Amino acid sequence: MTYQIKSVLKDVGYQVRTQIGEHVILADEPLKAGGTDAAPNPVQYLLAALNSCLSITAKSMARKHPEIGLKKFEVTTSALVKRAPDKTSKVAEINVHFEVETELALADQQHFMRSVIKYCTIHSSLDPAIEINFEF
């Protein structure tokens, strides 16, 4: 599958208007960074993409395996962004906390969670130099 997305830099703060098929999203930076804080910044969208992918992967697996009995799947993510002396910055660490309820025994639920992480496209696509810590 190939995706094509078009983004246009607006003449307001750091606002970027992005067209994704029929959907439009806005990105910006906080006021302290010179933006207008009209929308999430790109790092926040990255974390949202990871959370969404993990959640969709869990739902997909639960649909294929009703014995999982998925009752609750919540993901809370935080990231540490480090700035280098040359003023570049990078997401250096991502912490992912899950709150999950299933009908599985604890060992089986942990196996389910490891499978969710393994089959999440966004997680698989992130730079292996980014430390990602999962808690469930």
Side-chain angles (χ1 to χ4, degrees):
M1 178 177 285
T2 301
Y3 295 94
Q4 183 172 5
I5 297 172
K6 182 177 181 178
S7 299
V8 177
L9 183 62
K10 296 175 68 176
D11 196 23
V12 179
Y14 285 109
Q15 291 183 18
V16 178
R17 181 185 184 280
T18 300
Q19 184 79 38
I20 306 169
E22 297 298 317
H23 307 284
V24 176
I25 62 170
L26 185 68
D28 198 3
E29 288 291 338
L31 293 171
K32 67 181 180 181
T36 62
D37 202 25
N41 71 29
V43 173
Q44 292 168 315
Y45 275 120
L46 174 69
L47 298 178
L50 177 59
N51 286 11
S52 298
C53 187
L54 289 163
S55 299
I56 290 168
T57 301
K59 179 76 170 225
S60 175
M61 293 174 72
R63 280 185 174 172
K64 292 176 185 167
H65 301 280
E67 68 275 11
I68 292 171
L70 186 61
K71 297 176 184 173
K72 177 181 178 181
F73 194 90
E74 295 180 9
V75 187
T76 304
T77 307
S78 62
L80 174 64
V81 176
K82 290 191 177 179
R83 184 170 293 273
D86 68 357
K87 305 292 185 200
T88 60
S89 59
K90 173 183 175 152
V91 174
E93 181 180 324
I94 298 173
N95 294 295
V96 182
H97 175 77
F98 295 99
E99 288 190 34
V100 179
E101 290 179 21
T102 69
E103 294 179 4
L104 299 171
L106 182 59
D108 292 331
Q109 182 167 298
Q110 290 178 340
H111 175 74
F112 166 65
M113 292 304 301
R114 285 190 295 275
S115 295
V116 167
I117 293 164
K118 176 182 177 180
Y119 290 106
C120 170
T121 303
I122 300 300
H123 171 255
S124 298
S125 301
L126 290 171
D127 185 335
I130 299 172
E131 181 179 339
I132 304 178
N133 303 304
F134 294 99
E135 177 186 326
F136 50 90

